Amino acid sequence: MEFLSRLQLPRGRCWCAQSVILVLGLVALQSTTFKCTVVVCSQVKATAYEADIAAARRTLTASGGIPALDNYTGLYRPQVHFSPPQQFMNDPNGLHKDAKGTYHLYYQYNPTGLVAGNQHWGHATSKDLYHWENQPIAIYPPPSDSQVFSGSAVIDSNNTSGFFPNQTDGVVAIYTLNSPSAEVQEIAYSHDGGYTFTRYDGNPVIDVNSTQFRDPKVIWHEKTQRWIMVVSHAQDFVIAFYTSPDLKAWTLVTNFSHQGLLGSQWECPNLVPMPVRDIASGELIEHQDMYLLAISVNPGAPLGGSATQYFPGTFNGTTFTAIDRTVRLTDFAKDNYAGQFFYGIPDDEDPISIAWASNWQYAEQVPTAQEGWRSAMSVPRRNFLANTPSTGWVLVSRPHDLRPILGQVLVEKEWRAEGGISNASILTESGVVHLNVAVSGLLGSIPADSSLEIALSTSDSQESLSCGYSFSDNAFFLDRGNTRGFQDPTFTSNFSTSVFPREDGTWTMSAVVDRSIIEVFLNEGIASATSVFFATQPLTSISISTAGLPSGATTKVELRALESVWGAIGNDTV
């Protein structure tokens, strides 16, 4: 059975009989008559009878492998962060914007289970990076003992590959094909704008006889008029740089290795030209030909599990040179990994990225499985580099334009010195809020006990998500430890970072709180945190207070609802 060979059971895991029935149901969707017996781990035996096949038909649709979708409701289901229709998702793949203005998000997807394994490329499209439309699975593993791992996609507008003699919008996906014996780089091409793909007959395009060689990211380098690939030799801590004139023949030109944080392996490299802006005004600084090399580390991140580091530097078409060997992380919490930048963003716009909002230490254990799905993506972010007085070079990351999802103002208040908001309702139809806090007048001496405290609480006040800032120590904290829906030794409770007020004496914070995920942005994105959390009931109120601030300090707070991007299939009573 050809289709059965495409459904690989996760290695090292024993599937239960129910999962086997699901697999057999998938096969039945491809054939009207099917009978067989499957042995899993030499222990579990199951036979698919007609009733089981009928149940599987109801669970999954037959159109391109999209899981049947009843709704996007649930205590934990995000409403403005993308999550898969069902089952397990991890790394974003193939991010690009096409000529019609449509954003394409592919992602690592197991359509038959709630843990990693049986990896495909899931697919969704959007016009604004928030309202996503689920599409059929884009790339399946070939009929062998293999999986389609992470990679990227480009638009071959000049037909360098020869795949598109009569069009300028052909899409080429570059990905790792994983098998027990090797990891090789393959390409597949699409004539319909990235919805269906054909594997290249000459695959693999790169094979170095390694089982730890993966996650190619490809960009076009205008100055040298050729394609550039960065790809990871994961356990050798090497990012290899390849060039190609046609996406088919690749030449190794240089390596980047053993800098920054090593961990246990390097994954998901990204190379992207990065604008440099003045941090105060946001104005573009001309003649700064800077690039950013991002490398994901797993395991071995400072807080445990997975994280992403980045290196500002220069790139001449062959060699990337980092400005220094400093360790810089994209996130000061624990749930931001394998981020990827979109191909096809115009040169006069800031690069846009999306990351996987989870951590490999607990991604396969979180309680969203009770709702039939696991993992979400970060909100889309726009990015630029800044050279700051206090910390030097930093990647500034801000939410992409939130206007498509902004709802009504829930709270708007301003006060001087000490004051606050007590138990204001954050009950919204979507269960999602956006918080903005700005404190000004922080010039001169700051009292030692000056602070800001924020708590989002459940209706019975038994659980809360909290954060705060010490103005005298310049220290911010985020605490998810008092949410009790998930307990795991690796599920770190507290995160902190140091962020100084700006030169004009202003300190700002914004946050998106979306049912089971919070993203925080300090001083307009000079530092950011992504953290999942799992309370046993919805957060319904917010309290904000300042204490010890000088008399000239002013605090402004705006709290707004964010609208569900899933509409009727997302809104529920939370």
Side-chain angles (χ1 to χ4, degrees), residues 308-327:
T308 302
Q309 63 180 332
Y310 66 91
F311 298 89
T314 59
F315 180 66
N316 62 8
T318 301
T319 303
F320 176 83
T321 303
I323 59 171
D324 56 34
R325 302 175 70 93
T326 301
V327 174

PDB file of all heavy atoms in Angstrom, residues 308-327:
ATOM      1  N   THR A 308      16.636  30.097  20.677  1.00  0.00           N
ATOM      2  CA  THR A 308      17.239  30.590  19.445  1.00  0.00           C
ATOM      3  C   THR A 308      18.201  31.724  19.747  1.00  0.00           C
ATOM      4  O   THR A 308      17.857  32.658  20.472  1.00  0.00           O
ATOM      5  CB  THR A 308      16.158  31.075  18.459  1.00  0.00           C
ATOM      6  OG1 THR A 308      15.264  29.994  18.172  1.00  0.00           O
ATOM      7  CG2 THR A 308      16.790  31.561  17.158  1.00  0.00           C
ATOM      8  N   GLN A 309      19.414  31.616  19.198  1.00  0.00           N
ATOM      9  CA  GLN A 309      20.395  32.682  19.329  1.00  0.00           C
ATOM     10  C   GLN A 309      20.565  33.366  17.977  1.00  0.00           C
ATOM     11  O   GLN A 309      20.184  32.826  16.936  1.00  0.00           O
ATOM     12  CB  GLN A 309      21.742  32.131  19.794  1.00  0.00           C
ATOM     13  CG  GLN A 309      22.394  31.153  18.838  1.00  0.00           C
ATOM     14  CD  GLN A 309      23.733  30.625  19.341  1.00  0.00           C
ATOM     15  OE1 GLN A 309      24.434  31.301  20.085  1.00  0.00           O
ATOM     16  NE2 GLN A 309      24.076  29.412  18.955  1.00  0.00           N
ATOM     17  N   TYR A 310      21.151  34.568  18.000  1.00  0.00           N
ATOM     18  CA  TYR A 310      21.350  35.281  16.742  1.00  0.00           C
ATOM     19  C   TYR A 310      22.674  36.047  16.781  1.00  0.00           C
ATOM     20  O   TYR A 310      23.168  36.430  17.837  1.00  0.00           O
ATOM     21  CB  TYR A 310      20.188  36.229  16.439  1.00  0.00           C
ATOM     22  CG  TYR A 310      20.042  37.397  17.398  1.00  0.00           C
ATOM     23  CD1 TYR A 310      20.671  38.625  17.142  1.00  0.00           C
ATOM     24  CD2 TYR A 310      19.264  37.291  18.545  1.00  0.00           C
ATOM     25  CE1 TYR A 310      20.535  39.693  18.018  1.00  0.00           C
ATOM     26  CE2 TYR A 310      19.121  38.352  19.416  1.00  0.00           C
ATOM     27  CZ  TYR A 310      19.754  39.553  19.148  1.00  0.00           C
ATOM     28  OH  TYR A 310      19.625  40.612  20.014  1.00  0.00           O
ATOM     29  N   PHE A 311      23.209  36.241  15.567  1.00  0.00           N
ATOM     30  CA  PHE A 311      24.467  36.941  15.387  1.00  0.00           C
ATOM     31  C   PHE A 311      24.269  38.064  14.365  1.00  0.00           C
ATOM     32  O   PHE A 311      23.992  37.785  13.193  1.00  0.00           O
ATOM     33  CB  PHE A 311      25.551  35.992  14.863  1.00  0.00           C
ATOM     34  CG  PHE A 311      25.869  34.849  15.783  1.00  0.00           C
ATOM     35  CD1 PHE A 311      25.159  33.660  15.685  1.00  0.00           C
ATOM     36  CD2 PHE A 311      26.866  34.957  16.734  1.00  0.00           C
ATOM     37  CE1 PHE A 311      25.446  32.598  16.523  1.00  0.00           C
ATOM     38  CE2 PHE A 311      27.155  33.895  17.585  1.00  0.00           C
ATOM     39  CZ  PHE A 311      26.452  32.709  17.483  1.00  0.00           C
ATOM     40  N   PRO A 312      24.388  39.336  14.760  1.00  0.00           N
ATOM     41  CA  PRO A 312      24.464  40.402  13.763  1.00  0.00           C
ATOM     42  C   PRO A 312      25.829  40.329  13.079  1.00  0.00           C
ATOM     43  O   PRO A 312      26.833  39.956  13.695  1.00  0.00           O
ATOM     44  CB  PRO A 312      24.343  41.687  14.596  1.00  0.00           C
ATOM     45  CG  PRO A 312      23.892  41.242  15.958  1.00  0.00           C
ATOM     46  CD  PRO A 312      24.396  39.846  16.132  1.00  0.00           C
ATOM     47  N   GLY A 313      25.870  40.666  11.795  1.00  0.00           N
ATOM     48  CA  GLY A 313      27.141  40.613  11.098  1.00  0.00           C
ATOM     49  C   GLY A 313      27.024  41.084   9.665  1.00  0.00           C
ATOM     50  O   GLY A 313      26.032  41.708   9.261  1.00  0.00           O
ATOM     51  N   THR A 314      28.032  40.763   8.877  1.00  0.00           N
ATOM     52  CA  THR A 314      28.064  41.131   7.459  1.00  0.00           C
ATOM     53  C   THR A 314      28.198  39.875   6.620  1.00  0.00           C
ATOM     54  O   THR A 314      28.706  38.851   7.070  1.00  0.00           O
ATOM     55  CB  THR A 314      29.235  42.077   7.171  1.00  0.00           C
ATOM     56  OG1 THR A 314      30.472  41.448   7.538  1.00  0.00           O
ATOM     57  CG2 THR A 314      29.093  43.383   7.943  1.00  0.00           C
ATOM     58  N   PHE A 315      27.750  39.970   5.367  1.00  0.00           N
ATOM     59  CA  PHE A 315      27.802  38.833   4.449  1.00  0.00           C
ATOM     60  C   PHE A 315      28.153  39.347   3.056  1.00  0.00           C
ATOM     61  O   PHE A 315      27.490  40.258   2.534  1.00  0.00           O
ATOM     62  CB  PHE A 315      26.456  38.104   4.427  1.00  0.00           C
ATOM     63  CG  PHE A 315      26.408  36.920   3.513  1.00  0.00           C
ATOM     64  CD1 PHE A 315      27.173  35.793   3.771  1.00  0.00           C
ATOM     65  CD2 PHE A 315      25.599  36.926   2.387  1.00  0.00           C
ATOM     66  CE1 PHE A 315      27.143  34.692   2.927  1.00  0.00           C
ATOM     67  CE2 PHE A 315      25.557  35.833   1.539  1.00  0.00           C
ATOM     68  CZ  PHE A 315      26.336  34.705   1.810  1.00  0.00           C
ATOM     69  N   ASN A 316      29.187  38.768   2.458  1.00  0.00           N
ATOM     70  CA  ASN A 316      29.659  39.240   1.157  1.00  0.00           C
ATOM     71  C   ASN A 316      29.258  38.340  -0.005  1.00  0.00           C
ATOM     72  O   ASN A 316      29.793  38.460  -1.106  1.00  0.00           O
ATOM     73  CB  ASN A 316      31.183  39.399   1.179  1.00  0.00           C
ATOM     74  CG  ASN A 316      31.916  38.088   1.432  1.00  0.00           C
ATOM     75  OD1 ASN A 316      31.304  37.015   1.444  1.00  0.00           O
ATOM     76  ND2 ASN A 316      33.223  38.164   1.643  1.00  0.00           N
ATOM     77  N   GLY A 317      28.318  37.447   0.251  1.00  0.00           N
ATOM     78  CA  GLY A 317      27.896  36.503  -0.780  1.00  0.00           C
ATOM     79  C   GLY A 317      28.545  35.151  -0.639  1.00  0.00           C
ATOM     80  O   GLY A 317      28.121  34.181  -1.286  1.00  0.00           O
ATOM     81  N   THR A 318      29.560  35.080   0.210  1.00  0.00           N
ATOM     82  CA  THR A 318      30.257  33.821   0.472  1.00  0.00           C
ATOM     83  C   THR A 318      30.433  33.565   1.960  1.00  0.00           C
ATOM     84  O   THR A 318      30.131  32.481   2.454  1.00  0.00           O
ATOM     85  CB  THR A 318      31.647  33.820  -0.198  1.00  0.00           C
ATOM     86  OG1 THR A 318      31.486  33.996  -1.608  1.00  0.00           O
ATOM     87  CG2 THR A 318      32.375  32.510   0.059  1.00  0.00           C
ATOM     88  N   THR A 319      30.896  34.579   2.675  1.00  0.00           N
ATOM     89  CA  THR A 319      31.272  34.421   4.078  1.00  0.00           C
ATOM     90  C   THR A 319      30.451  35.338   4.970  1.00  0.00           C
ATOM     91  O   THR A 319      30.320  36.537   4.683  1.00  0.00           O
ATOM     92  CB  THR A 319      32.766  34.737   4.275  1.00  0.00           C
ATOM     93  OG1 THR A 319      33.530  33.879   3.429  1.00  0.00           O
ATOM     94  CG2 THR A 319      33.182  34.529   5.725  1.00  0.00           C
ATOM     95  N   PHE A 320      29.915  34.773   6.049  1.00  0.00           N
ATOM     96  CA  PHE A 320      29.264  35.567   7.080  1.00  0.00           C
ATOM     97  C   PHE A 320      30.267  35.840   8.183  1.00  0.00           C
ATOM     98  O   PHE A 320      30.914  34.916   8.697  1.00  0.00           O
ATOM     99  CB  PHE A 320      28.044  34.840   7.660  1.00  0.00           C
ATOM    100  CG  PHE A 320      27.400  35.577   8.802  1.00  0.00           C
ATOM    101  CD1 PHE A 320      26.502  36.600   8.558  1.00  0.00           C
ATOM    102  CD2 PHE A 320      27.711  35.261  10.122  1.00  0.00           C
ATOM    103  CE1 PHE A 320      25.914  37.295   9.611  1.00  0.00           C
ATOM    104  CE2 PHE A 320      27.126  35.939  11.178  1.00  0.00           C
ATOM    105  CZ  PHE A 320      26.231  36.967  10.922  1.00  0.00           C
ATOM    106  N   THR A 321      30.385  37.107   8.574  1.00  0.00           N
ATOM    107  CA  THR A 321      31.297  37.503   9.638  1.00  0.00           C
ATOM    108  C   THR A 321      30.500  38.164  10.751  1.00  0.00           C
ATOM    109  O   THR A 321      29.907  39.242  10.552  1.00  0.00           O
ATOM    110  CB  THR A 321      32.365  38.492   9.125  1.00  0.00           C
ATOM    111  OG1 THR A 321      33.069  37.891   8.024  1.00  0.00           O
ATOM    112  CG2 THR A 321      33.349  38.846  10.227  1.00  0.00           C
ATOM    113  N   ALA A 322      30.450  37.511  11.909  1.00  0.00           N
ATOM    114  CA  ALA A 322      29.724  38.065  13.050  1.00  0.00           C
ATOM    115  C   ALA A 322      30.484  39.255  13.623  1.00  0.00           C
ATOM    116  O   ALA A 322      31.722  39.293  13.595  1.00  0.00           O
ATOM    117  CB  ALA A 322      29.533  36.999  14.123  1.00  0.00           C
ATOM    118  N   ILE A 323      29.762  40.235  14.165  1.00  0.00           N
ATOM    119  CA  ILE A 323      30.425  41.410  14.722  1.00  0.00           C
ATOM    120  C   ILE A 323      31.175  41.074  16.005  1.00  0.00           C
ATOM    121  O   ILE A 323      32.127  41.766  16.364  1.00  0.00           O
ATOM    122  CB  ILE A 323      29.423  42.548  14.985  1.00  0.00           C
ATOM    123  CG1 ILE A 323      28.337  42.085  15.959  1.00  0.00           C
ATOM    124  CG2 ILE A 323      28.806  43.052  13.697  1.00  0.00           C
ATOM    125  CD1 ILE A 323      27.434  43.208  16.441  1.00  0.00           C
ATOM    126  N   ASP A 324      30.751  40.006  16.692  1.00  0.00           N
ATOM    127  CA  ASP A 324      31.444  39.554  17.903  1.00  0.00           C
ATOM    128  C   ASP A 324      30.972  38.139  18.220  1.00  0.00           C
ATOM    129  O   ASP A 324      30.204  37.551  17.465  1.00  0.00           O
ATOM    130  CB  ASP A 324      31.215  40.507  19.086  1.00  0.00           C
ATOM    131  CG  ASP A 324      29.729  40.722  19.405  1.00  0.00           C
ATOM    132  OD1 ASP A 324      28.936  39.772  19.238  1.00  0.00           O
ATOM    133  OD2 ASP A 324      29.352  41.827  19.810  1.00  0.00           O
ATOM    134  N   ARG A 325      31.426  37.593  19.337  1.00  0.00           N
ATOM    135  CA  ARG A 325      31.063  36.226  19.726  1.00  0.00           C
ATOM    136  C   ARG A 325      30.072  36.204  20.882  1.00  0.00           C
ATOM    137  O   ARG A 325      29.884  35.181  21.542  1.00  0.00           O
ATOM    138  CB  ARG A 325      32.330  35.446  20.104  1.00  0.00           C
ATOM    139  CG  ARG A 325      33.366  35.396  18.982  1.00  0.00           C
ATOM    140  CD  ARG A 325      34.658  34.723  19.441  1.00  0.00           C
ATOM    141  NE  ARG A 325      34.477  33.302  19.641  1.00  0.00           N
ATOM    142  CZ  ARG A 325      34.715  32.378  18.713  1.00  0.00           C
ATOM    143  NH1 ARG A 325      35.123  32.741  17.506  1.00  0.00           N
ATOM    144  NH2 ARG A 325      34.551  31.094  18.974  1.00  0.00           N
ATOM    145  N   THR A 326      29.407  37.320  21.127  1.00  0.00           N
ATOM    146  CA  THR A 326      28.464  37.433  22.232  1.00  0.00           C
ATOM    147  C   THR A 326      27.247  36.535  22.020  1.00  0.00           C
ATOM    148  O   THR A 326      26.751  36.404  20.897  1.00  0.00           O
ATOM    149  CB  THR A 326      27.997  38.892  22.393  1.00  0.00           C
ATOM    150  OG1 THR A 326      29.134  39.720  22.628  1.00  0.00           O
ATOM    151  CG2 THR A 326      27.013  39.043  23.535  1.00  0.00           C
ATOM    152  N   VAL A 327      26.767  35.937  23.112  1.00  0.00           N
ATOM    153  CA  VAL A 327      25.533  35.159  23.054  1.00  0.00           C
ATOM    154  C   VAL A 327      24.352  36.115  23.154  1.00  0.00           C
ATOM    155  O   VAL A 327      24.204  36.846  24.134  1.00  0.00           O
ATOM    156  CB  VAL A 327      25.473  34.120  24.190  1.00  0.00           C
ATOM    157  CG1 VAL A 327      24.106  33.424  24.195  1.00  0.00           C
ATOM    158  CG2 VAL A 327      26.580  33.094  24.043  1.00  0.00           C
TER     159      VAL A 327
END
